[in-house]
Amino acid sequence: VNLPPTIAASVERWLQDNGGVDLRENTGRLTGTYKSGGTSARVDLAAYLATRTPATFAAVGKALAEAARAAPDVSPSDVLDVGSGAGSATWAATSRWPGIASVTMLDNDPRFLRLAEELSTKALPATTRARYLLGDVGAALSQADLVIASYVIAERPVAEAAQLAKSLWSATKSMLLIVEPGTPSGFERLLAMRKALLSSGAHIAAPCTHTKACPMQGGDWCHFTVRLQRSRLHRHAKSAEVPWEDEPFAYLAAVRDAPIAARGRILRPPRINKIEASFALCTHEGLQNLSVPKRNKDLFKRLRKLDWGDIIPEENQ
Ligand SMILES: C[S@@+](CC[C@H](N)C(=O)[O-])C[C@H]1O[C@@H](n2cnc3c(N)ncnc32)[C@H](O)[C@@H]1O
């Protein structure tokens, strides 16, 4: 999942104009800040744009794809992107639904809001109206069909997560998507938010395929990965040889209308060999292992293409 060419070009241009010679050093500092649980308050914008924005775009894009699969009737005409940063979650939403008529990016850091505005002319479809609001994720929010909070709850204490979920949900007309780093602490926040959302009457479209208590145990945490290509500048900033990276992420998509049922979601890379395909699943009956012998030709053929993060449709019993 990569930035669309027009957005990538406008990011590249901004970085050429604003990314100083110390991009590598600033990226090192940014990585250190996030790894130690720090916030975005003083991170270097160029380092964020070169290295984090493509990754958060990819994670939100993948999460939206899974949410839309479970809730195909959702077709938002407006978006509220809370803690928008440079706007990558908004770009992922308008890439999926180009008909979105208006977007609101809300952030408590004026530097990020200015950056989002500078990039928007090229990054958003010409017909999309955009607003940039200086505000707090915890404040009263205006309503939108699609509300996204991407990598922002991580910057608030865990104890606030449930209340923030309720507030985001009351701003949601159709779908709420929360994306967090794919770490135990990202998962801890999502778990608290899931409970709060279910008690507010939300349906979970993804990744959960049921509304029972989360069966993750023993220090394990529900997360996924998405692969993205690194641009030349991204490679330079990270002193990286490899032209791609895998972004670990965790997410939760809540919807107003009941989603399409599924048998379960694949929680790890499937193991496929000459004898069988085997899948670690989260299902409404808890964590299960599904093994499909190769001699069960039809089912094997259907399931072998599935990957970590995909659902097993309900008819595949
Ligand atoms: C890690 S960045 C994520 C940006 C973007 N959503 C993305 O996925 O790339 C976190 C963003 O949340 C903003 N933020 C942090 N705390 C906030 C708060 N309490 N209210 C609003 N925005 C906040 C930061 O300024 C920053 O832009």
Side-chain angles (χ1 to χ4, degrees):
V1 186
N2 298 308
L3 290 175
T6 48
I7 303 183
S10 106
V11 165
E12 182 92 15
R13 208 165 312 120
W14 194 95
L15 286 169
Q16 273 158 11
D17 295 345
N18 302 277
V21 284
D22 41 9
L23 183 63
R24 231 178 223 182
E25 204 179 309
N26 289 336
T27 297
R29 216 169 291 134
L30 170 137
T31 307
T33 300
Y34 288 140
K35 274 200 176 142
S36 62
T39 72
S40 307
R42 271 180 290 279
V43 296
D44 180 67
L45 290 187
Y48 193 90
L49 194 58
T51 62
R52 292 304 302 143
T53 298
T56 59
F57 174 88
V60 174
K62 185 109 189 256
L64 279 179
E66 289 308 310
R69 195 197 309 254
D73 293 339
V74 170
S75 174
S77 67
D78 58 352
V79 179
L80 172 64
D81 179 0
V82 179
S84 63
S88 56
T90 298
W91 309 338
T94 55
S95 299
R96 169 151 291 276
W97 292 287
I100 287 173
S102 82
V103 298
T104 301
M105 293 176 232
L106 180 143
D107 205 288
N108 69 353
D109 185 339
R111 299 178 313 141
F112 268 109
L113 274 185
R114 266 196 307 275
L115 173 61
E117 190 164 1
E118 278 179 52
L119 293 168
S120 276
T121 23
K122 291 280 186 301
L124 295 177
T127 48
T128 306
R129 240 176 335 111
R131 288 196 305 158
Y132 308 89
L133 284 187
L134 190 61
D136 193 275
V137 61
L141 303 168
S142 57
Q143 285 208 319
D145 291 339
L146 173 63
V147 177
I148 308 183
S150 156
Y151 291 80
V152 58
I153 308 300
E155 304 203 353
R156 304 302 311 154
V158 181
E160 282 182 18
Q163 189 48 46
L164 288 173
K166 286 186 182 168
S167 154
L168 291 166
W169 181 241
S170 41
T172 302
K173 287 197 260 179
S174 195
M175 177 186 283
L176 167 64
L177 176 69
I178 304 157
V179 183
E180 286 288 291
T183 58
S185 102
F187 177 61
E188 189 184 4
R189 284 170 172 76
L190 287 171
L191 212 49
M193 296 182 96
R194 180 178 187 267
K195 272 195 199 138
L197 288 168
L198 287 173
S199 73
S200 304
H203 298 277
I204 305 296
C208 322
T209 54
H210 61 88
T211 54
K212 295 193 175 154
C214 175
M216 283 288 172
Q217 277 177 354
D220 201 1
W221 68 101
C222 179
H223 68 289
F224 306 93
T225 66
V226 59
R227 179 158 293 185
L228 55 128
Q229 297 302 313
R230 286 175 169 144
S231 67
R232 189 186 50 78
L233 266 170
H234 189 161
R235 280 213 302 274
H236 161 74
K238 283 201 163 164
S239 313
E241 298 285 323
V242 197
W244 48 263
E245 73 182 23
D246 289 329
E247 167 72 5
F249 68 101
Y251 73 102
L252 194 60
V255 285
R256 292 272 167 202
D257 297 326
I260 295 175
R263 171 167 182 194
R265 187 166 308 268
I266 303 171
L267 292 183
R268 282 176 233 314
R271 286 199 318 260
I272 297 173
N273 57 34
K274 287 183 184 148
I275 302 163
E276 61 175 17
S278 121
F279 304 91
L281 297 183
C282 182
T283 75
H284 67 278
E285 284 157 358
L287 299 178
Q288 288 187 340
N289 194 61
L290 170 69
S291 292
V292 182
K294 199 167 183 184
R295 66 187 135 72
N296 192 344
K297 270 192 195 152
D298 283 352
L299 191 57
F300 184 85
K301 206 170 148 195
R302 246 180 300 146
L303 299 192
R304 65 163 301 156
K305 294 194 192 96
L306 297 179
D307 204 352
W308 182 10
D310 289 338
I311 51 150
I312 304 263
E314 201 162 46
E315 66 272 18
N316 294 296
Q317 296 300 330

